[in-house]
Amino acid sequence: MKCQLRVNGEDHTIDVEPRTTLLDALRDNLKLTGTHVGCEHGICGACTVLADGEPVRSCLMLAAQADAGPEITTIEGLSTAPGELSIIQDAFCEAHGLQCGYCTPGMIITASALLERNATPNRDDIVDAISANLCRCTGYGQIVEAIELAAEKLRQRNASPSEASQ
Amino acid sequence: MTEAPTSFRYVSKPRRTQEDRRFVTGKGHFVADIVPDNTLHVALVPSQEPAARIISIDKSAALALPGVHDVITGDELAAAVEPMMNGLDTPAVKRYAMAVDRIRYCGEWVAAVVADTRAIAEDAAELVELETEPSDFILDAEEAYRPDSLAVHEAHGSNILLDRTFTWGPVEQHFSESARELSFRVTWGRSSTVPIETFGVLASWDGWRDTLDVWASIQMPKYADQIARALRIPMNTVRVHQDVDVGGSYGVKRGIKHTVLAGYISRKLNRPIRLIEDRLENMRAGDAHGPDRIFDISIAYEDDGRIRSMKMRALDNAGAYAGRAPFQLGKPIGAIVGPYTIESVEYQAISVTTNKAAQEAVRGFGQAPTNYAIETALDRVAAAVGLDRVQIRRRNYIPSDQFPYLIPSGTSYDSGDYQTVTDKVMTQVGWDDLVRQRDALRADGQLAGIGIAACLEPSGGNSSFEPLLNPANTTTTWMDSCRIMVDGAGTVTATIHTTSSGQGHQTLTATIIGEVLEIDPDQIRVIHADSQTSLPSNSPVGSRMAVMLGGAAFNAAGKLKDKLKRIAAKQFGASPDEVVYSEGTFATADGDQSLGWMDVVTIAHRYFHLLPDGEQPGLEVTDVYQVPTGGGLPTEDGRVQMYPCHSFEFHCVLLSFDPILAKPEIHRYVIGHDCGTVINPHIVKGMTLGGIAHGIGAALFEEFTYDDQGQMNAQTLADYLLPSSHEIPAVEIVHHCTPSPFTVLGQKGSGESGYLGAPAAISGAVNDALAPLGITVDKLPIRTAALSDRIAAAANTQS
């Protein structure tokens, strides 16, 4: 079946089997491989993308459900330009909020959604927000620090993540 | 020296890592991201029974499905490849990628379907008809150890892969001399590292170039070697692309069977073959399961709590095949007394086969379970003599002035200052306040406890356990390497010769080379050579790369600097000893003559006539680094120097739980950590925090359990519970630095830190919380439901 997806501000028409997940469509059809496959049953959060700004599991959503539907944002949509980092991405580097980097795109997408709606999250807010994204490397400590740092930098810019990337 | 040296330019500085930029933008280079044209995809047909004879496999319906190219069975594969290597000398325990004739665990691969897409391959896998004759099976290690037990491998004759008793020192004498003795059993449940990325491999055979290209998510010593042997092709035809980013491993990403299978299919069909496990394949039959171990411990000690001797029997359930799993009983021999002055040890190491999935290497390679057993012993002795649990450890610590310290099993510990680290943690935590906080929680109706663990992280990974447990194996080196090239434009490129799975090897290498050459590490490019262009490496196992890759990088940089100095000296008419190097400038001692970096580089690359006699043109140096203190074979009585370095960690944790719900909440977690000179503080911090989280998982949540039919219960991440951010507290780290005298910068390993002590500390805290009820828990993980039941049963007994 044909699906019209709007991803990172661009329109794509793809031809997929009805059973194709949004995750597989993003990776296989659109070659957006920054969204990662972890468990394929909605637990780990590695495949998190934004649908109209809300974090969703792209492994639990069919491509067909995004047909002519929500605006999808993947990790590739957060970078401002090749070699440049968004404020959140830069904060993850500064705090070393990652190791192997596999859960990282999902974490950053989730952090982005949090900071879009809450400019002054406390530690509990951050812990809650990322609690559905599993990381096996870091023990979450430096991820929390990275998000705290990103929030601070965004406040200094007086901008939300989406405003700061424009 | 007890404080971190402050004279470093880049080492120990909180610099950003080189690797992170690509990951935060989703531009990592993971194996699943690599899909060449014409790739075919594999899905696996699992066995439904824990033990059975294969009668027939009907492939016809699967082959008839459009898009299916082949269905491979174990028989076909076994006729074409060699069995995978065993660590021990157990040739009758044959293992192939798929079951041959007999199924030995539930989920074992019996056929591989190859199709145009993974979805078609999965559809076809359901069409493969497997006819079997189920047989008896065995899951329990004690039962498997009995001489009359059913043998999982009939040809081997029993389930015993390893059963060796070591006696180091006058154990019986110490037991008879000692005032007191106690015994107990603890059990470490079958858990693992469970990376968020499953294992994956892409193998592509090019018959015109005689090359098998392999992209894989691996952390495996001698991987290319094993692939070549199994596929019966020369090793120099195997090209492993080691620049693949590995999405977490912590030991388990071994992948030999996956690669042999994919490599075989690629050679047969002349197409790139992609085998990416889904989570189900990973959990039940991937290289996913870790130690599964029962410890029986006896301790001989004095009235004052000094421990004289220990008897440890470790019975490990290796699962259906051998592999390297039994060696996980060997590595802990290098720290078998922990940080304590235990004078003698009897150690019986037993590894048995059962009808569970095969065990693979997990972070610490058996050390975390062993530390859990040792630390439980310390707690039990403390309770028996009425000493505080911190005091009992202090009383038994190896004093800081006795290093290098030879332990009974033959390893010399390099350095340590355990009392000072303990002091620092006690200060940080405010011990009296912590006790008051615990008591306040108890007064509030909670069960609250404090846990303590002091333990070592052997590091700089050597393989001395191989000759120790397998006399047919006389390996005495476990080297690693670094090559540095300076190009004609003066930029520096270093190559490393293994994969990385989040440990920051690029940063490590660049930092150390930058330190030696006084060049900004961010200007140094570090690349992963493929296996055909690699120097020898034994991969980042055994908490070894800071020591081993760090050592090789340091030495290579030194050789490079020496060569540059020789070239400059020739121009100055001076001897190389008289050349002073500083930040890229070469000068005579009096400063009268000087040359810049590019001047000397240009001579090396272009002006042969200006080179010293005998000097080769160009600028390329290599260093193949032997493990410090390594090289010796074991003695006949089983003593050997295991790893060179021993990091120390001291954990202190306060937790509480409701007596009915029994869900532990961690209120405070402080760790004192001493891994010698830290190369990059961000990386070491991350390893430590991640290790603690992993240890909390092993202590409270994670287990691959089987039901009594041999079916694995935990097959999804909804059943096998990984700690989320809610379960992991904010951890406070207290640093200390006792440099190792055996390494180039005093560094030790930290890749397993946190994990090696957290399970013991959590167990200690739970048992402290249960102490008022007069009960103990002696098996990990301590699951909420089991804990709740235990408390209820105790209450019923008391009433």
Side-chain angles (χ1 to χ4, degrees), chain B residues 445-464:
Chain B
Q446 296 284 299
L447 294 172
I450 296 172
I452 298 291
C455 68
L456 297 179
E457 178 184 358
S459 56
N462 202 354
S463 65
S464 307

Side-chain angles (χ1 to χ4, degrees), chain B residues 107-257:
Chain B
E108 183 171 12
W109 306 345
V110 293
V113 178
V114 190
D116 285 332
T117 68
R118 166 77 189 194
I120 295 171
E122 286 187 29
D123 290 344
E126 294 183 0
L127 300 175
V128 174
E129 290 191 21
L130 176 65
E131 187 185 355
T132 61
E133 179 185 37
S135 53
D136 291 340
F137 58 91
I138 193 163
L139 300 171
D140 180 73
E142 290 285 13
E143 195 183 329
Y145 182 54
R146 282 201 282 273
D148 59 346
S149 73
L150 177 78
V152 173
H153 294 264
E154 200 175 354
H156 184 63
S158 80
N159 290 312
I160 299 170
L161 298 169
L162 170 71
D163 184 2
R164 183 165 172 192
T165 301
F166 299 91
T167 304
W168 300 299
V171 173
E172 294 305 335
Q173 180 191 327
H174 288 150
F175 266 79
S176 63
E177 287 173 1
S178 298
R180 303 198 199 183
E181 189 177 326
L182 62 76
S183 299
F184 63 92
R185 166 174 282 203
V186 287
T187 301
W188 177 278
R190 175 174 278 237
S191 59
S192 188
T193 70
V194 192
I196 304 301
E197 181 204 46
T198 60
F199 180 81
V201 60
L202 175 79
S204 182
W205 173 252
D206 182 339
W208 303 107
R209 291 178 178 78
D210 278 346
T211 297
L212 181 71
D213 280 297
V214 177
W215 294 263
S217 174
I218 47 151
Q219 180 196 6
M220 179 71 208
K222 298 182 167 63
Y223 175 72
D225 182 326
Q226 294 191 58
I227 301 312
R229 285 170 197 257
L231 291 174
R232 299 172 182 157
I233 56 179
M235 186 171 160
N236 63 7
T237 63
V238 177
R239 179 164 58 194
V240 180
H241 294 263
Q242 296 176 143
D243 60 346
V244 170
D245 290 315
V246 179
S249 173
Y250 335 97
V252 295
K253 291 270 181 75
R254 299 289 158 154
I256 301 295
K257 67 178 182 182

Side-chain angles (χ1 to χ4, degrees), chain A residues 17 19 27-28 31-41 43-46 75-76 78-79 81-86 88-105 108 123-124 126-142 144-145 149 153, chain B residues 14 16-17 19-21 23-28 30 32-33 35 117 119-120 123 192-198 245-248 250 274 277-280 283 363 501-503 680-683 685-691 693-694 697 702 715-718 720 722-726 728-731:
Chain A
E17 286 188 65
R19 63 178 172 176
R27 290 183 55 85
D28 298 343
K31 307 301 178 194
L32 295 170
T33 54
T35 304
H36 292 154
V37 185
C39 67
E40 295 178 279
H41 51 261
I43 302 290
C44 78
I75 187 70
E76 290 88 349
L78 297 186
S79 298
E84 291 185 11
L85 303 176
S86 74
I88 300 174
Q89 289 165 334
D90 188 64
F92 269 70
C93 291
E94 179 66 22
H96 190 48
L98 64 146
Q99 286 173 35
C100 78
Y102 200 76
C103 75
T104 308
I108 288 177
R123 189 178 194 281
D124 287 346
I126 295 170
V127 165
D128 269 346
I130 64 167
S131 64
N133 289 69
L134 296 177
C135 171
R136 205 53 173 156
C137 293
T138 65
Y140 307 102
Q142 285 150 302
V144 172
E145 289 174 20
L149 180 61
K153 287 184 173 180
Chain B
R16 288 189 178 201
T17 68
E19 291 87 346
D20 289 355
R21 285 175 62 84
F23 295 127
V24 298
T25 49
K27 297 297 181 188
F30 297 97
D33 304 340
V35 190
T117 68
I120 295 171
D123 290 344
S192 188
T193 70
V194 192
I196 304 301
E197 181 204 46
T198 60
D245 290 315
V246 179
Y250 335 97
R274 184 176 191 254
E277 292 174 337
D278 66 16
R279 185 55 62 181
L280 181 57
M283 297 189 81
R363 193 177 210 155
S501 43
Q503 304 96 331
N680 182 293
H682 287 307
I683 292 174
K685 177 180 174 182
M687 292 283 170
T688 305
L689 296 179
H694 187 189
E702 303 180 32
Q715 303 203 15
T716 73
L717 296 185
Y720 186 98
L722 301 178
S724 78
S725 55
H726 276 306
I728 305 303
V731 173

